[in-house]
Amino acid sequence: MGEVASSEVTKVAAATSSQDPEVGLAAVAALRGLVEVLEALQVENARAKGWSWRQIAARLGVTKQAVHHKYAGRRFGFRR
Amino acid sequence: MVQPSEHAHRTLELARAEAEGFGHRYLGPEHLVLGVQRHGDNGASEVLTSFGVDLVAARTALGHLADRGVVPGPRPSDAELLESLGIDLAAIRRTTEQSFGAVAVGWAIREATRARRRGVGRVPRTPLRDPPMLIGQVLYHAGERARALGLGVVGPELLLWGVVADIQTPRPRCMNNRWRRQLHASVGLAEGYRGAARLLLVELGVDLDQLREAVMDELGGVQR
């Protein structure tokens, strides 16, 4: 059963190029999940190095308010 | 604090392996039943066997549930999905941990997935973390039973107890929230999913009340 399912999974993965929305959207969701973690890591790193919200927002290509709204409530400073 | 025993850890690992074998991107109570049987060396497995449930039959029954749409069909893993976009998840995991450290990556994962007001920037899950374990209530019931019995560890027998108790107990309303619904949808689970162990055991012809009593009898014995 396990081997059969695994080969089916590989087939599903290969079907991504067939523009199947089921798989394509799942791939985008996985990408978003990855990006959010990487962004949180980089923003925390920038804040730890003394960057202002304005500077961070400029690099991310969003407004200062947007980045502040998203990250200001977070528990930064896990290193301390 | 009640801790899982070595056998329980092994059972959970095997349950994960069973879930992966079916291409399921979550761990549910139904996989625990398979994990208990695959482990084999425990009282819970003996109880299930006495009800005519073996690993092959349980796998076949779960396959039937997948055919009926109760549980999802095989889905590609996050690593496979990202690979289809030309992204090497293992390489990203490695480089971020090298650059920032495992503690920082763990923190970022919690921050990206934790509850926050208005849900801004929140994702239900991330490929950098293992597939979600949707067995919180099973572990809760197992732990409560362990405390009631004065046991310090949760073994496979108590895990099976947790599965049965979860089936027979209404879930708290707090388990139904937007975040949970998003999480379930992200792994392909149907709306209203609350574990498929009941349907799996019914498919296998198991009487839940009798199973509950048999597990309770088994718990009077030795916890492995």
Side-chain angles (χ1 to χ4, degrees):
Chain A
M1 179 65 211
E3 291 76 19
V4 176
S6 298
S7 67
E8 281 181 49
V9 170
T10 314
K11 259 189 275 174
V12 174
T16 314
S17 56
S18 70
Q19 297 184 341
D20 177 3
E22 176 76 29
V23 182
L25 291 172
V28 172
L31 185 60
R32 185 184 298 133
L34 189 59
V35 167
E36 287 295 339
V37 174
L38 297 180
E39 187 182 284
L41 260 178
Q42 294 293 353
V43 171
E44 198 281 337
N45 185 44
R47 290 293 292 171
K49 289 184 173 164
W51 282 45
S52 66
W53 290 114
R54 186 188 296 275
Q55 287 173 302
I56 294 169
R59 298 304 184 284
L60 287 175
V62 296
T63 62
K64 179 183 71 176
Q65 288 83 0
V67 76
H68 191 263
H69 178 65
K70 184 169 175 180
Y71 288 101
R74 297 197 180 187
R75 288 165 289 194
F76 279 109
F78 66 92
R79 294 192 177 102
R80 287 181 282 277
Chain B
M1 182 76 182
V2 181
Q3 296 289 337
S5 71
E6 197 181 314
H7 285 282
H9 271 299
R10 182 76 189 129
T11 302
L12 288 170
E13 278 173 25
L14 293 170
R16 255 198 204 291
E18 286 295 323
E20 277 176 30
F22 276 89
H24 292 165
R25 303 305 163 196
Y26 69 98
L27 178 69
E30 55 274 23
H31 303 119
L32 266 186
V33 175
L34 270 66
V36 163
Q37 272 308 56
R38 187 159 158 187
H39 182 270
D41 181 24
N42 60 72
S45 173
E46 286 166 22
V47 169
L48 284 173
T49 305
S50 72
F51 278 83
V53 177
D54 61 20
L55 185 56
V56 176
R59 281 176 176 165
T60 307
L62 189 56
H64 289 162
L65 293 187
D67 293 340
R68 282 163 46 194
V70 176
V71 294
R75 294 165 67 88
S77 68
D78 285 334
E80 288 167 328
L81 288 167
L82 291 171
E83 198 182 334
S84 74
L85 299 172
I87 295 166
D88 185 349
L89 179 62
I92 290 178
R93 191 195 304 270
R94 200 170 48 246
T95 51
T96 47
E97 285 192 358
Q98 277 171 2
S99 305
F100 299 100
V103 175
V105 174
W107 169 86
I109 288 171
R110 279 193 302 282
E111 277 303 303
T113 55
R114 81 177 173 85
R116 75 173 63 87
R117 214 173 287 170
R118 294 185 296 276
V120 178
R122 183 190 196 187
V123 284
R125 65 193 181 88
T126 168
L128 290 169
R129 188 149 71 183
D130 283 340
M133 288 174 69
L134 306 179
I135 53 170
Q137 286 295 296
V138 172
L139 299 179
Y140 167 76
H141 289 298
E144 286 295 296
R145 194 71 198 164
R147 266 187 285 278
L149 293 171
L151 299 169
V153 292
V154 167
E157 298 81 6
L158 274 168
L159 287 181
L160 184 59
W161 167 266
V163 170
V164 178
D166 178 34
I167 291 169
Q168 297 188 324
T169 313
R171 284 209 174 172
R173 281 181 64 192
C174 62
M175 297 292 288
N176 183 14
N177 55 54
R178 187 177 66 170
W179 178 80
R180 191 156 285 275
R181 288 195 292 273
Q182 282 178 351
L183 181 66
H184 285 188
S186 74
V187 292
L189 286 166
E191 205 171 322
Y193 166 88
R194 50 149 299 177
R198 185 180 66 82
L199 289 172
L200 178 73
L201 291 169
V202 167
E203 177 94 10
L204 289 161
V206 175
D207 183 298
L208 290 172
D209 291 327
Q210 286 178 5
L211 178 62
R212 186 187 177 100
E213 285 189 14
V215 178
M216 212 185 280
D217 289 344
E218 181 61 33
L219 284 171
V222 181
Q223 269 289 305
R224 292 180 210 181

